[in-house]
């Protein structure tokens, strides 16, 4: 692949393919489910920092979130980000992409300190620098690297997620359970720096995402229908089967007999999560083939959310902080897993409605506008 851009400037709204926007919009529902559980506190903690639930509905909800969303949503996000970064690279060149990644790092730090130390924007910014340098790397090499990296994911991230429960104290993400906002803000930069060790799978997903972007699998999904069907079926099947042991353990339906078994279940969970993220993206690509010519109000609204995914992602964090943290309304001390899942989905629905309002007004998301301005200011017109 040439290092020279093949187009000029950003993609215009009328040029946008349905599948990437629809996938980003839907993916934010899964991210809301995953992130909201971290805000629960004031109770004993179990595996993966989930609170230990007693009610059957809460336990079932915890298991379902782990099987279908945890470790699956962010790899999907990473693949979509990488595919989009390739498009930026092709149209505007590496300079614009690198500037965008520097600002994503800055946005990520602010997001982490003020709202959510599990922020992934900074990590994606780092991945973006690698994408900018990957123009001459063959797809086969990228896929081999993605597969090899999964070994690191299984060993390191599997061990992190298998960390024994700490009872009434968190093993990490301590700021979610402290009463003082100043103490929480002081802890968050450290927690942000630790976050990549719990998200190593996104690297493999991003490497595959580069290939997706180069081939145009999601911008022209009809051309790759067979590949998408295989990826959707294989990836989602692996994710469900591989996620069941950890999901059952988190939900309290199965107790791993020792640490080695817990680590094995955790390793399988995170590795198959990468396959699941790619499977979700492929599934939505297949849906886009059927929906592209008949976009109803629901599809348009979710796509509008995807077009404004950065703003909607930050909106979720703002809502969760306002409602759940110990030093705000403190609902994280009383809500169960089922209730916070409803809150998460409700927050996502509100973000979809807000995005649709902006779409009808012909306005982008506020954070997207700011990021674009910061990225492209002082650039010559040919690069902007």
């Amino acid at each position: 692949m040439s290092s020279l851009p093949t187009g000029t400037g950003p993609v215009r709204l009328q040029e946008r393919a349905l599948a990437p926007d629809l996938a980003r919009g839907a993916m934010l529902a899964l991210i809301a489910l995953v992130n909201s559980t971290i805000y629960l506190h004031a109770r004993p903690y179990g595996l993966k920092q989930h609170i230990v639930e007693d009610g059957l509905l809460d336990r079932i909800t915890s298991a379902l979130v782990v099987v279908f969303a945890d470790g699956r949503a962010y790899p999907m996000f990473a693949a979509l980000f990488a595919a989009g970064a390739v498009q930026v690279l092709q149209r505007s060149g590496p300079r614009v992409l690198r500037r965008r990644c520097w600002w994503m790092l800055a946005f990520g730090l602010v997001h982490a300190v003020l709202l959510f130390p599990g922020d992934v924007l900074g990590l994606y910014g780092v991945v973006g620098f690698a994408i900018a340098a990957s123009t001459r790397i063959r797809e086969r090499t990228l896929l081999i690297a993605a597969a090899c990296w999964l070994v690191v994911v299984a060993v390191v991230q599997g061990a992190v997620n298998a960390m024994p429960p700490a009872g009434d104290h968190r093993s990490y993400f301590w700021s979610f359970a402290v009463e003082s906002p100043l103490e929480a803000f002081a802890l968050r930069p450290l927690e942000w720096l630790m976050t990549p060790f719990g998200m190593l799978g996104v690297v493999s997903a991003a490497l595959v995402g580069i290939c997706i972007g180069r081939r145009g699998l999601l911008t022209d999904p009809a051309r790759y229908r067979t590949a998408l069907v295989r990826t959707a079926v294989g990836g989602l099947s692996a994710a469900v089967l591989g996620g069941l042991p950890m999901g059952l353990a988190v939900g309290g339906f199965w107790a791993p007999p020792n640490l080695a078994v817990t680590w094995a279940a955790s390793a399988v969970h995170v590795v198959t999560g990468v396959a699941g993220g790619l499977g979700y993206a492929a599934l939505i690509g297949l849906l886009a083939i059927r929906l592209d010519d008949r976009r109803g109000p629901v599809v348009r609204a979710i796509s509008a959310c995807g077009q404004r995914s950065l703003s909607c992602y930050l909106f979720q964090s703002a809502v969760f902080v306002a409602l759940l943290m110990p030093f705000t309304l403190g609902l994280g001390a009383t809500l169960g897993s089922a209730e916070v899942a409803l809150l998460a989905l409700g927050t996502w629905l509100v973000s979809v409605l807000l995005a649709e309002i902006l779409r009808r007004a012909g306005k982008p998301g506020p954070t997207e506008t700011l990021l674009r301005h910061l990225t492209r200011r002082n650039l010559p017109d040919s690069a902007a």
Side-chain angles (χ1 to χ4, degrees):
M1 176 181 171
S2 171
S3 61
L4 296 175
T6 58
T8 57
V11 178
R12 296 177 178 85
L13 183 61
Q14 61 268 28
E15 298 173 344
R16 297 182 71 111
L18 173 62
D21 289 334
L22 187 62
R24 277 188 288 266
M27 167 266 317
L28 284 169
L30 300 181
I31 285 181
L33 286 169
V34 173
N35 288 354
S36 62
T37 62
I38 302 173
Y39 289 86
L40 300 183
H41 58 273
R43 283 155 285 183
Y45 300 102
L47 286 172
K48 295 180 64 61
Q49 303 298 286
H50 281 249
I51 61 170
V52 178
E53 296 280 19
D54 295 321
L56 181 60
L57 181 58
D58 289 323
R59 293 167 60 199
I60 291 173
T61 301
S62 294
L64 291 175
V65 169
V66 170
V67 172
F68 290 100
D70 186 89
R72 282 96 178 105
Y74 279 116
M76 178 184 176
F77 203 176
L80 295 171
F81 167 76
V86 168
Q87 192 174 41
V88 172
L89 192 62
Q90 291 174 338
R91 297 183 64 90
S92 302
R95 182 184 179 187
V96 171
L97 178 58
R98 284 194 291 266
R99 289 188 62 159
R100 182 181 180 88
C101 291
W102 278 118
W103 283 112
M104 286 187 67
L105 275 169
F107 279 37
L109 176 59
V110 173
H111 179 221
V113 172
L114 296 182
L115 296 174
F116 183 62
D119 163 81
V120 76
L121 298 177
L123 178 57
Y124 288 169
V126 173
V127 169
F129 288 117
I131 293 171
S134 70
T135 55
R136 298 189 182 278
I137 301 177
R138 295 182 303 171
E139 291 179 13
R140 177 182 175 85
T141 302
L142 292 170
L143 294 176
I144 291 174
C148 292
W149 184 254
L150 286 178
V151 178
V152 177
V153 173
V155 173
V156 178
Q157 190 174 338
V160 170
N161 290 343
M163 191 177 296
D168 292 336
H169 302 284
R170 286 185 180 269
S171 302
Y172 46 90
F173 282 150
W174 313 283
S175 66
F176 288 88
V178 299
E179 298 285 344
S180 168
L182 294 179
E183 183 180 351
F185 295 152
L187 288 169
R188 284 175 175 177
L190 174 61
E191 294 173 336
W192 184 55
L193 293 175
M194 294 171 60
T195 294
F197 292 99
M199 292 186 177
L200 295 176
V202 305
V203 175
S204 290
L207 291 172
V208 177
I210 296 174
C211 301
I212 291 173
R214 290 182 183 179
R215 293 291 183 96
L217 265 74
L218 293 180
T219 52
D220 187 13
R223 181 181 176 187
Y224 298 99
R225 186 191 301 265
T226 301
L228 292 175
V229 169
R230 291 173 179 172
T231 303
V233 173
L236 293 175
S237 297
V240 172
L241 294 175
L244 271 176
M246 186 56 71
L248 293 174
V250 169
F253 298 101
W254 171 64
N258 53 54
L259 185 59
V261 174
T262 305
W263 173 84
S266 177
V268 171
H269 178 265
V270 296
V271 169
T272 58
V274 176
L278 298 173
Y280 276 129
L283 177 62
I284 294 176
L286 292 169
L287 289 174
I289 297 174
R290 303 190 62 179
L291 298 172
D292 200 16
D293 294 330
R294 49 180 187 275
R295 304 186 188 187
V298 173
V299 172
R300 285 196 298 268
I302 296 176
S303 297
C305 179
Q307 292 164 9
R308 298 157 182 83
S309 57
L310 179 55
S311 295
C312 293
Y313 172 63
L314 298 178
F315 172 77
Q316 290 181 9
S317 295
V319 171
F320 295 157
V321 166
L323 298 180
L324 301 174
M325 292 295 291
F327 49 80
T328 55
L329 291 183
L331 296 180
T334 57
L335 295 182
S337 294
E339 293 168 321
V340 85
L342 289 176
L343 171 64
L345 293 177
T347 301
W348 172 74
L349 284 173
V350 171
S351 72
V352 169
L353 292 174
L354 292 174
E356 175 62 7
I357 291 172
L358 290 174
R359 183 194 71 81
R360 294 186 179 188
K363 297 182 181 297
T367 317
E368 284 78 9
T369 299
L370 178 59
L371 179 60
R372 172 173 159 72
H373 169 73
L374 293 171
T375 298
R376 297 179 180 272
R377 67 175 179 173
N378 300 326
L379 287 176
D381 292 340
S382 59

